[in-house]
Amino acid sequence: MDYGKLGDGMVKDAMNTLREEETFTARNDYAFKKIFGSEENKDILIEFLSLATGINKEDFQDVELQNNELTPQFYQDKAGSLDIKVILKDEKKIDIEMQNVYFSYYPKRSILYWCELFIEGFKRGDSYSKLNKCIAINILNERFPLTDKLHSIYQILEVEKHSQLDEVFEIHFFDLTKLDVKKMTELEEWLLFIRTEDKEVRKKLAEGNPMIAKANDVMDIFYLNEKERAAYQAAWRYESDRVSMLKETEEKALAKGFEKGIEKGIEEGIEKGRKEGREEGIKKGIKKGIEKRNIELAKFFRDNGVSLDKIAEATGLSEKEIEKL
């Protein structure tokens, strides 16, 4: 159905019907790009980035958007990248990405993406002065395990004095799971707008913020279009496929690491037992080696965001023992 041919009243009824039937969220990659990555909504992007980075809005006057594909075919073909790249008038670059699932290697992935952005367009023989500041912004919908903060900013600092090596490097992590909705700043209101699936929450946020109101209108309008709604659903399917693949790869890697850990622990235990020269010593050595390796694996899994129940199942340690490590 072409909702553009309906009258205002019918559009409103259609919108209410859709809202009752389905929930939708700005965390969806297609919706996220529609709101923040389209030319007609640069003012929304500027509003959010200014709050997220502390950069004055005036510095965003000549914003150039890159990698902001919005065609349904993008998700059908499963080609290209999912982030939004921004170039400012002073040549600073910002990369912003919505990530619904956290993986243990995500910080390394973010650093790699930052590096690619940093050297993009730089050629052999160019002056190093052409290398401008790059900011990577990661919005996560799963727990970021490296800090208990909602908003974490990483730079290159000297270990003891914390003096900055150079201002070019900056990576932000926003952990939506740590959002406290009781008392929110304007930035946190935007993060709640991105996180929520509740249309009433978005409506309430829009009442107090004209730019959030525009973002909410963008969601309502594009979701009434059949083709765009199909792209929204395709984006979820695309992400589900991608996440399933990545999860499977990570689980295999963790399983392989666990098996190697057990083997190493047993070998260490046998060697210790041989040195003692007793059968009982070998048994104790094996047991001790396994226990030691289980503790090391539990620490590794915990620090990389694996849930306590899964760690307990894999290592045989209790959740309380894991928390105390």
Side-chain angles (χ1 to χ4, degrees):
M1 181 181 291
D2 184 359
Y3 290 97
K5 296 180 180 179
L6 298 176
D8 291 342
M10 295 181 70
V11 169
K12 188 177 290 184
D13 291 342
M15 184 182 296
N16 290 334
T17 300
L18 280 171
R19 284 174 166 177
E20 289 172 2
E21 291 176 352
E22 297 183 72
T23 59
F24 59 108
T25 173
R27 288 186 291 102
N28 173 279
D29 183 65
Y30 188 78
F32 190 83
K33 283 196 169 182
K34 195 73 177 181
I35 295 169
F36 297 102
S38 56
E39 289 289 334
E40 63 269 24
N41 296 322
K42 278 185 179 180
D43 52 348
I44 296 176
L45 176 66
I46 290 170
E47 182 79 13
F48 178 75
L49 289 181
S50 178
L51 292 168
T53 63
I55 299 174
N56 293 328
K57 292 181 184 179
E58 292 74 17
D59 293 330
F60 288 90
Q61 286 179 0
D62 296 327
V63 170
E64 177 188 338
L65 286 172
Q66 293 184 343
N67 193 36
N68 59 333
E69 300 90 344
L70 284 170
T71 61
Q73 289 78 15
F74 172 82
Y75 298 101
Q76 301 298 341
D77 297 340
K78 298 182 180 178
S81 301
L82 302 179
D83 50 345
I84 298 170
K85 295 179 183 178
V86 180
I87 301 177
L88 307 186
K89 62 180 181 181
D90 62 357
E91 300 300 322
K92 286 188 178 75
K93 298 177 185 178
I94 301 176
D95 181 282
I96 179 170
E97 181 181 35
M98 179 69 233
Q99 180 72 20
N100 284 291
V101 180
Y102 182 84
F103 298 95
S104 60
Y105 55 78
Y106 192 79
K108 290 185 176 66
R109 176 180 179 273
S110 183
I111 293 170
L112 175 61
Y113 280 21
W114 179 92
C115 290
E116 291 175 345
L117 187 66
F118 184 58
I119 64 172
E120 188 176 60
F122 188 80
K123 300 175 183 177
R124 182 174 297 180
D126 284 348
S127 169
Y128 291 116
S129 62
K130 291 185 65 176
L131 292 170
N132 297 292
K133 182 173 184 176
C134 292
I135 301 173
I137 297 178
N138 305 278
I139 303 175
L140 304 171
N141 194 46
E142 282 193 347
R143 188 178 73 88
F144 181 56
L146 303 184
T147 174
D148 59 359
K149 296 172 62 179
L150 167 67
H151 181 194
S152 305
I153 305 174
Y154 290 85
Q155 298 176 335
I156 301 177
L157 306 176
E158 200 280 330
V159 174
E160 294 182 354
K161 300 295 184 180
H162 295 176
S163 57
Q164 193 177 63
L165 179 64
D166 195 292
E167 62 117 26
V168 294
F169 183 90
E170 187 171 307
I171 297 183
H172 296 241
F173 293 93
F174 289 96
D175 184 343
L176 297 182
T177 69
K178 299 185 177 100
L179 190 59
D180 185 355
V181 300
K182 294 178 182 177
K183 186 178 180 181
M184 294 185 293
T185 63
E186 188 176 356
L187 173 59
E188 289 166 347
E189 288 179 354
W190 273 105
L191 294 174
L192 178 59
F193 178 86
I194 293 170
R195 186 185 74 176
T196 188
E197 296 180 358
D198 191 327
K199 63 181 183 296
E200 293 302 323
V201 171
R202 286 195 299 272
K203 182 179 178 181
K204 188 70 176 176
L205 291 168
E207 290 175 358
N209 188 313
M211 203 56 69
I212 291 181
K214 180 179 179 179
N216 196 38
D217 288 342
V218 171
M219 289 192 69
D220 285 341
I221 292 170
F222 96 79
Y223 203 71
L224 288 174
N225 183 288
E226 186 175 347
K227 288 184 178 179
E228 300 221 66
R229 195 166 63 255
Y232 175 93
Q233 299 298 344
W236 276 139
R237 291 193 294 273
Y238 174 82
E239 181 163 349
S240 295
D241 292 345
R242 190 167 59 98
V243 167
S244 295
M245 264 189 328
L246 294 172
K247 279 282 189 184
E248 184 178 353
T249 300
E250 184 173 51
E251 286 173 0
K252 286 181 179 179
L254 290 174
K256 188 174 182 180
F258 180 74
E259 290 174 1
K260 284 186 176 180
I262 292 295
E263 291 173 4
K264 184 178 179 182
I266 291 174
E267 288 173 2
E268 291 177 355
I270 291 174
E271 183 61 27
K272 183 176 180 180
R274 282 174 178 164
K275 288 180 179 179
E276 293 183 7
R278 299 191 303 275
E279 183 178 345
E280 187 65 25
I282 293 176
K283 291 180 181 179
K284 287 182 179 180
I286 293 173
K287 183 178 179 182
K288 189 172 182 180
I290 293 174
E291 289 174 351
K292 180 180 178 182
R293 195 56 188 171
N294 281 346
I295 290 173
E296 291 177 1
L297 288 170
K299 287 180 180 178
F300 173 79
F301 290 158
R302 182 198 61 191
D303 293 342
N304 283 276
V306 180
S307 62
L308 293 180
D309 58 328
K310 288 184 179 180
I311 299 175
E313 182 180 351
T315 63
L317 300 174
S318 69
E319 293 186 15
K320 287 185 178 180
E321 287 174 324
I322 297 166
E323 287 177 343
K324 291 179 180 178
L325 295 177

